[in-house]
mmCIF file of all heavy atoms in Angstrom:
data_model
loop_
_atom_site.group_PDB
_atom_site.id
_atom_site.type_symbol
_atom_site.label_atom_id
_atom_site.label_comp_id
_atom_site.label_asym_id
_atom_site.label_seq_id
_atom_site.Cartn_x
_atom_site.Cartn_y
_atom_site.Cartn_z
ATOM 1 N N ASP A 179 15.063 56.375 60.860
ATOM 2 C CA ASP A 179 15.185 55.626 62.178
ATOM 3 C C ASP A 179 16.426 55.998 62.879
ATOM 4 O O ASP A 179 17.510 55.831 62.320
ATOM 5 C CB ASP A 179 15.162 54.059 61.761
ATOM 6 C CG ASP A 179 14.937 53.215 62.951
ATOM 7 O OD1 ASP A 179 15.345 53.637 64.169
ATOM 8 O OD2 ASP A 179 14.456 52.184 62.918
ATOM 9 N N HIS A 180 16.182 56.559 64.088
ATOM 10 C CA HIS A 180 17.495 56.955 64.855
ATOM 11 C C HIS A 180 17.843 55.864 65.781
ATOM 12 O O HIS A 180 18.966 56.010 66.488
ATOM 13 C CB HIS A 180 17.000 58.276 65.699
ATOM 14 C CG HIS A 180 16.033 58.030 66.767
ATOM 15 N ND1 HIS A 180 14.802 57.489 66.439
ATOM 16 C CD2 HIS A 180 16.013 58.196 68.118
ATOM 17 C CE1 HIS A 180 14.097 57.384 67.504
ATOM 18 N NE2 HIS A 180 14.734 57.763 68.602
ATOM 19 N N LEU A 181 17.191 54.757 65.764
ATOM 20 C CA LEU A 181 17.675 53.539 66.663
ATOM 21 C C LEU A 181 18.258 52.499 65.901
ATOM 22 O O LEU A 181 18.975 51.619 66.379
ATOM 23 C CB LEU A 181 16.546 53.089 67.483
ATOM 24 C CG LEU A 181 15.737 54.134 68.426
ATOM 25 C CD1 LEU A 181 14.568 53.450 69.071
ATOM 26 C CD2 LEU A 181 16.893 54.547 69.367
ATOM 27 N N GLU A 182 17.998 52.403 64.645
ATOM 28 C CA GLU A 182 18.410 51.240 63.688
ATOM 29 C C GLU A 182 19.460 51.900 62.628
ATOM 30 O O GLU A 182 18.993 52.733 61.876
ATOM 31 C CB GLU A 182 17.422 50.510 63.176
ATOM 32 C CG GLU A 182 17.782 49.498 62.206
ATOM 33 C CD GLU A 182 16.712 48.686 61.506
ATOM 34 O OE1 GLU A 182 16.133 49.390 60.600
ATOM 35 O OE2 GLU A 182 16.474 47.566 61.783
ATOM 36 N N LYS A 183 20.622 51.319 62.551
ATOM 37 C CA LYS A 183 21.454 51.933 61.504
ATOM 38 C C LYS A 183 21.231 51.246 60.123
ATOM 39 O O LYS A 183 20.833 50.061 59.960
ATOM 40 C CB LYS A 183 23.015 51.477 61.899
ATOM 41 C CG LYS A 183 23.387 52.052 63.281
ATOM 42 C CD LYS A 183 24.833 51.353 63.549
ATOM 43 C CE LYS A 183 25.246 51.965 64.861
ATOM 44 N NZ LYS A 183 26.628 51.466 65.263
ATOM 45 N N ARG A 184 21.353 52.085 59.124
ATOM 46 C CA ARG A 184 21.285 51.529 57.801
ATOM 47 C C ARG A 184 22.263 50.495 57.586
ATOM 48 O O ARG A 184 22.045 49.500 56.782
ATOM 49 C CB ARG A 184 21.431 52.700 56.802
ATOM 50 C CG ARG A 184 21.452 52.304 55.302
ATOM 51 C CD ARG A 184 20.043 51.811 54.873
ATOM 52 N NE ARG A 184 20.088 51.072 53.558
ATOM 53 C CZ ARG A 184 18.996 50.709 52.960
ATOM 54 N NH1 ARG A 184 17.813 50.913 53.486
ATOM 55 N NH2 ARG A 184 19.063 50.056 51.771
ATOM 56 N N GLU A 185 23.408 50.666 58.176
ATOM 57 C CA GLU A 185 24.598 49.545 57.990
ATOM 58 C C GLU A 185 24.101 48.244 58.451
ATOM 59 O O GLU A 185 24.385 47.221 57.898
ATOM 60 C CB GLU A 185 25.751 50.067 58.908
ATOM 61 C CG GLU A 185 26.883 49.162 58.727
ATOM 62 C CD GLU A 185 28.115 49.643 59.630
ATOM 63 O OE1 GLU A 185 27.857 50.599 60.490
ATOM 64 O OE2 GLU A 185 29.101 49.043 59.555
ATOM 65 N N ALA A 186 23.143 48.202 59.555
ATOM 66 C CA ALA A 186 22.680 46.958 60.059
ATOM 67 C C ALA A 186 21.709 46.372 59.036
ATOM 68 O O ALA A 186 21.615 45.084 58.948
ATOM 69 C CB ALA A 186 21.983 47.206 61.417
ATOM 70 N N VAL A 187 20.924 47.179 58.443
ATOM 71 C CA VAL A 187 20.055 46.636 57.358
ATOM 72 C C VAL A 187 20.802 46.028 56.230
ATOM 73 O O VAL A 187 20.538 44.844 55.762
ATOM 74 C CB VAL A 187 19.178 47.740 56.788
ATOM 75 C CG1 VAL A 187 18.206 47.261 55.636
ATOM 76 C CG2 VAL A 187 18.276 48.319 57.932
ATOM 77 N N GLU A 188 21.942 46.692 55.755
ATOM 78 C CA GLU A 188 22.722 46.207 54.712
ATOM 79 C C GLU A 188 23.489 44.933 55.044
ATOM 80 O O GLU A 188 23.656 43.929 54.342
ATOM 81 C CB GLU A 188 23.750 47.239 54.367
ATOM 82 C CG GLU A 188 23.083 48.416 53.655
ATOM 83 C CD GLU A 188 23.991 49.581 53.574
ATOM 84 O OE1 GLU A 188 25.192 49.506 54.035
ATOM 85 O OE2 GLU A 188 23.722 50.658 52.868
ATOM 86 N N PHE A 189 23.893 44.836 56.342
ATOM 87 C CA PHE A 189 24.528 43.591 56.900
ATOM 88 C C PHE A 189 23.643 42.428 56.760
ATOM 89 O O PHE A 189 23.996 41.431 56.378
ATOM 90 C CB PHE A 189 25.061 43.853 58.336
ATOM 91 C CG PHE A 189 25.738 42.695 58.961
ATOM 92 C CD1 PHE A 189 27.112 42.587 58.740
ATOM 93 C CD2 PHE A 189 25.043 41.740 59.593
ATOM 94 C CE1 PHE A 189 27.798 41.488 59.410
ATOM 95 C CE2 PHE A 189 25.746 40.598 60.243
ATOM 96 C CZ PHE A 189 27.100 40.494 60.055
ATOM 97 N N MET A 190 22.415 42.566 57.225
ATOM 98 C CA MET A 190 21.434 41.521 57.222
ATOM 99 C C MET A 190 21.104 41.070 55.757
ATOM 100 O O MET A 190 21.025 39.865 55.513
ATOM 101 C CB MET A 190 20.163 41.964 57.913
ATOM 102 C CG MET A 190 18.978 40.995 57.811
ATOM 103 S SD MET A 190 17.638 41.464 58.941
ATOM 104 C CE MET A 190 18.083 41.015 60.446
ATOM 105 N N ALA A 191 20.960 42.150 54.916
ATOM 106 C CA ALA A 191 20.560 41.813 53.497
ATOM 107 C C ALA A 191 21.576 40.953 52.810
ATOM 108 O O ALA A 191 21.408 40.278 51.931
ATOM 109 C CB ALA A 191 20.257 43.191 52.791
ATOM 110 N N GLU A 192 22.916 41.208 53.224
ATOM 111 C CA GLU A 192 23.989 40.614 52.555
ATOM 112 C C GLU A 192 24.211 39.131 52.992
ATOM 113 O O GLU A 192 24.805 38.311 52.326
ATOM 114 C CB GLU A 192 25.335 41.405 52.880
ATOM 115 C CG GLU A 192 25.400 42.700 52.155
ATOM 116 C CD GLU A 192 26.584 43.503 52.650
ATOM 117 O OE1 GLU A 192 27.353 43.023 53.528
ATOM 118 O OE2 GLU A 192 26.791 44.661 52.115
ATOM 119 N N ARG A 193 23.499 38.733 54.083
ATOM 120 C CA ARG A 193 23.836 37.462 54.710
ATOM 121 C C ARG A 193 22.564 36.468 54.622
ATOM 122 O O ARG A 193 22.811 35.272 54.513
ATOM 123 C CB ARG A 193 24.319 37.585 56.086
ATOM 124 C CG ARG A 193 25.701 38.012 56.101
ATOM 125 C CD ARG A 193 26.240 38.634 57.364
ATOM 126 N NE ARG A 193 27.675 39.031 57.218
ATOM 127 C CZ ARG A 193 28.025 40.236 56.498
ATOM 128 N NH1 ARG A 193 27.191 40.912 55.962
ATOM 129 N NH2 ARG A 193 29.331 40.402 56.508
ATOM 130 N N ILE A 194 21.397 36.978 54.735
ATOM 131 C CA ILE A 194 20.216 36.095 54.615
ATOM 132 C C ILE A 194 20.126 35.757 53.133
ATOM 133 O O ILE A 194 20.046 36.573 52.216
ATOM 134 C CB ILE A 194 18.977 36.836 55.002
ATOM 135 C CG1 ILE A 194 19.098 37.099 56.574
ATOM 136 C CG2 ILE A 194 17.732 35.969 54.700
ATOM 137 C CD1 ILE A 194 17.928 37.915 57.137
ATOM 138 N N PRO A 195 20.028 34.467 52.798
ATOM 139 C CA PRO A 195 20.131 34.018 51.437
ATOM 140 C C PRO A 195 18.993 34.534 50.539
ATOM 141 O O PRO A 195 19.208 34.916 49.371
ATOM 142 C CB PRO A 195 19.865 32.467 51.525
ATOM 143 C CG PRO A 195 20.589 32.136 52.898
ATOM 144 C CD PRO A 195 20.146 33.291 53.785
ATOM 145 N N SER A 196 17.764 34.769 51.161
ATOM 146 C CA SER A 196 16.731 35.287 50.335
ATOM 147 C C SER A 196 15.984 36.422 51.180
ATOM 148 O O SER A 196 15.465 36.200 52.137
ATOM 149 C CB SER A 196 15.582 34.189 50.032
ATOM 150 O OG SER A 196 14.473 34.688 49.276
ATOM 151 N N VAL A 197 16.177 37.650 50.655
ATOM 152 C CA VAL A 197 15.737 38.780 51.492
ATOM 153 C C VAL A 197 15.182 39.833 50.502
ATOM 154 O O VAL A 197 15.795 40.042 49.395
ATOM 155 C CB VAL A 197 16.835 39.327 52.387
ATOM 156 C CG1 VAL A 197 18.009 39.910 51.610
ATOM 157 C CG2 VAL A 197 16.274 40.377 53.324
ATOM 158 N N GLU A 198 14.310 40.613 51.006
ATOM 159 C CA GLU A 198 13.753 41.836 50.208
ATOM 160 C C GLU A 198 13.627 42.968 51.179
ATOM 161 O O GLU A 198 13.047 42.868 52.199
ATOM 162 C CB GLU A 198 12.321 41.485 49.651
ATOM 163 C CG GLU A 198 11.751 42.501 48.754
ATOM 164 C CD GLU A 198 10.461 42.054 48.290
ATOM 165 O OE1 GLU A 198 10.158 40.865 48.205
ATOM 166 O OE2 GLU A 198 9.661 42.919 47.852
ATOM 167 N N VAL A 199 14.330 44.063 50.856
ATOM 168 C CA VAL A 199 14.368 45.218 51.741
ATOM 169 C C VAL A 199 13.458 46.301 51.091
ATOM 170 O O VAL A 199 13.600 46.673 49.945
ATOM 171 C CB VAL A 199 15.809 45.755 51.866
ATOM 172 C CG1 VAL A 199 15.809 47.078 52.727
ATOM 173 C CG2 VAL A 199 16.743 44.654 52.506
ATOM 174 N N THR A 200 12.568 46.847 52.013
ATOM 175 C CA THR A 200 11.727 47.968 51.578
ATOM 176 C C THR A 200 12.033 49.095 52.543
ATOM 177 O O THR A 200 12.083 48.897 53.787
ATOM 178 C CB THR A 200 10.224 47.648 51.687
ATOM 179 O OG1 THR A 200 9.969 46.572 50.891
ATOM 180 C CG2 THR A 200 9.360 48.831 51.482
ATOM 181 N N THR A 201 12.356 50.259 52.001
ATOM 182 C CA THR A 201 12.547 51.563 52.852
ATOM 183 C C THR A 201 11.434 52.487 52.797
ATOM 184 O O THR A 201 10.780 52.586 51.721
ATOM 185 C CB THR A 201 13.913 52.201 52.364
ATOM 186 O OG1 THR A 201 13.628 52.616 51.013
ATOM 187 C CG2 THR A 201 15.023 51.314 52.567
ATOM 188 N N TRP A 202 11.153 53.050 53.907
ATOM 189 C CA TRP A 202 10.200 54.139 54.010
ATOM 190 C C TRP A 202 10.825 55.517 54.284
ATOM 191 O O TRP A 202 11.369 55.753 55.340
ATOM 192 C CB TRP A 202 9.227 53.847 55.203
ATOM 193 C CG TRP A 202 8.481 52.577 55.024
ATOM 194 C CD1 TRP A 202 7.953 52.146 53.947
ATOM 195 C CD2 TRP A 202 8.242 51.604 56.081
ATOM 196 N NE1 TRP A 202 7.322 50.912 54.213
ATOM 197 C CE2 TRP A 202 7.431 50.584 55.546
ATOM 198 C CE3 TRP A 202 8.376 51.538 57.471
ATOM 199 C CZ2 TRP A 202 6.875 49.495 56.318
ATOM 200 C CZ3 TRP A 202 7.967 50.524 58.267
ATOM 201 C CH2 TRP A 202 7.277 49.486 57.578
ATOM 202 N N PRO A 203 11.015 56.304 53.223
ATOM 203 C CA PRO A 203 11.781 57.502 53.356
ATOM 204 C C PRO A 203 11.276 58.528 54.358
ATOM 205 O O PRO A 203 11.959 59.288 55.027
ATOM 206 C CB PRO A 203 11.650 58.220 51.890
ATOM 207 C CG PRO A 203 11.368 57.057 51.021
ATOM 208 C CD PRO A 203 10.590 56.079 51.853
ATOM 209 N N ARG A 204 9.921 58.571 54.639
ATOM 210 C CA ARG A 204 9.266 59.540 55.528
ATOM 211 C C ARG A 204 9.113 59.024 56.894
ATOM 212 O O ARG A 204 8.431 59.687 57.722
ATOM 213 C CB ARG A 204 7.957 60.031 54.916
ATOM 214 C CG ARG A 204 8.113 60.655 53.461
ATOM 215 C CD ARG A 204 6.777 61.151 52.941
ATOM 216 N NE ARG A 204 6.970 61.796 51.751
ATOM 217 C CZ ARG A 204 5.950 62.357 51.075
ATOM 218 N NH1 ARG A 204 4.672 62.260 51.585
ATOM 219 N NH2 ARG A 204 6.142 62.985 49.848
ATOM 220 N N ASP A 205 9.603 57.863 57.240
ATOM 221 C CA ASP A 205 9.297 57.195 58.614
ATOM 222 C C ASP A 205 10.622 57.032 59.375
ATOM 223 O O ASP A 205 11.715 56.868 58.793
ATOM 224 C CB ASP A 205 8.623 55.914 58.494
ATOM 225 C CG ASP A 205 7.271 56.087 57.831
ATOM 226 O OD1 ASP A 205 6.345 56.388 58.536
ATOM 227 O OD2 ASP A 205 7.111 55.976 56.584
ATOM 228 N N GLY A 206 10.413 56.863 60.724
ATOM 229 C CA GLY A 206 11.511 56.572 61.560
ATOM 230 C C GLY A 206 11.326 55.154 62.196
ATOM 231 O O GLY A 206 10.761 54.334 61.527
ATOM 232 N N HIS A 207 11.605 55.088 63.452
ATOM 233 C CA HIS A 207 11.592 53.735 64.013
ATOM 234 C C HIS A 207 10.064 53.233 64.275
ATOM 235 O O HIS A 207 9.850 52.080 64.336
ATOM 236 C CB HIS A 207 12.178 53.725 65.480
ATOM 237 C CG HIS A 207 12.501 52.512 66.093
ATOM 238 N ND1 HIS A 207 13.502 51.527 65.552
ATOM 239 C CD2 HIS A 207 12.038 51.766 67.169
ATOM 240 C CE1 HIS A 207 13.499 50.429 66.184
ATOM 241 N NE2 HIS A 207 12.607 50.608 67.204
ATOM 242 N N LEU A 208 9.140 54.210 64.233
ATOM 243 C CA LEU A 208 7.749 53.836 64.459
ATOM 244 C C LEU A 208 7.023 53.596 63.079
ATOM 245 O O LEU A 208 5.786 53.596 63.088
ATOM 246 C CB LEU A 208 7.033 54.952 65.182
ATOM 247 C CG LEU A 208 7.602 55.192 66.656
ATOM 248 C CD1 LEU A 208 6.830 56.227 67.344
ATOM 249 C CD2 LEU A 208 7.554 53.884 67.517
ATOM 250 N N GLY A 209 7.737 53.360 62.101
ATOM 251 C CA GLY A 209 7.196 53.164 60.724
ATOM 252 C C GLY A 209 6.156 52.109 60.663
ATOM 253 O O GLY A 209 5.090 52.116 60.007
ATOM 254 N N LEU A 210 6.350 51.078 61.557
ATOM 255 C CA LEU A 210 5.364 49.855 61.606
ATOM 256 C C LEU A 210 4.000 50.423 61.949
ATOM 257 O O LEU A 210 2.970 49.751 61.492
ATOM 258 C CB LEU A 210 5.720 48.781 62.687
ATOM 259 C CG LEU A 210 4.902 47.668 62.827
ATOM 260 C CD1 LEU A 210 4.869 46.832 61.632
ATOM 261 C CD2 LEU A 210 5.375 46.776 64.035
ATOM 262 N N MET A 211 3.856 51.409 62.816
ATOM 263 C CA MET A 211 2.505 51.943 63.195
ATOM 264 C C MET A 211 1.766 52.577 62.152
ATOM 265 O O MET A 211 0.565 52.496 62.170
ATOM 266 C CB MET A 211 2.689 52.921 64.404
ATOM 267 C CG MET A 211 3.307 52.210 65.664
ATOM 268 S SD MET A 211 3.620 53.371 67.005
ATOM 269 C CE MET A 211 1.901 53.766 67.604
ATOM 270 N N THR A 212 2.431 52.995 61.143
ATOM 271 C CA THR A 212 1.771 53.730 60.041
ATOM 272 C C THR A 212 1.711 52.781 58.769
ATOM 273 O O THR A 212 0.960 53.139 57.758
ATOM 274 C CB THR A 212 2.443 54.999 59.612
ATOM 275 O OG1 THR A 212 3.872 54.743 59.346
ATOM 276 C CG2 THR A 212 2.312 56.000 60.766
ATOM 277 N N HIS A 213 2.439 51.740 58.804
ATOM 278 C CA HIS A 213 2.554 50.786 57.581
ATOM 279 C C HIS A 213 2.013 49.341 58.050
ATOM 280 O O HIS A 213 2.456 48.492 57.229
ATOM 281 C CB HIS A 213 3.923 50.775 57.027
ATOM 282 C CG HIS A 213 4.384 52.068 56.428
ATOM 283 N ND1 HIS A 213 4.038 52.334 55.045
ATOM 284 C CD2 HIS A 213 5.067 53.142 56.886
ATOM 285 C CE1 HIS A 213 4.533 53.580 54.843
ATOM 286 N NE2 HIS A 213 5.191 53.960 55.911
#
Side-chain angles (χ1 to χ4, degrees):
D179 195 329
H180 64 304
L181 299 178
E182 177 185 72
K183 301 176 181 177
R184 176 67 192 186
E185 183 182 5
V187 178
E188 294 171 352
F189 182 89
M190 175 176 278
E192 290 171 357
R193 283 159 181 78
I194 296 178
S196 179
V197 64
E198 180 178 345
V199 177
T200 299
T201 58
W202 297 321
R204 298 181 179 180
D205 294 275
H207 196 66
L208 300 179
L210 179 63
M211 297 177 70
T212 56
H213 292 274

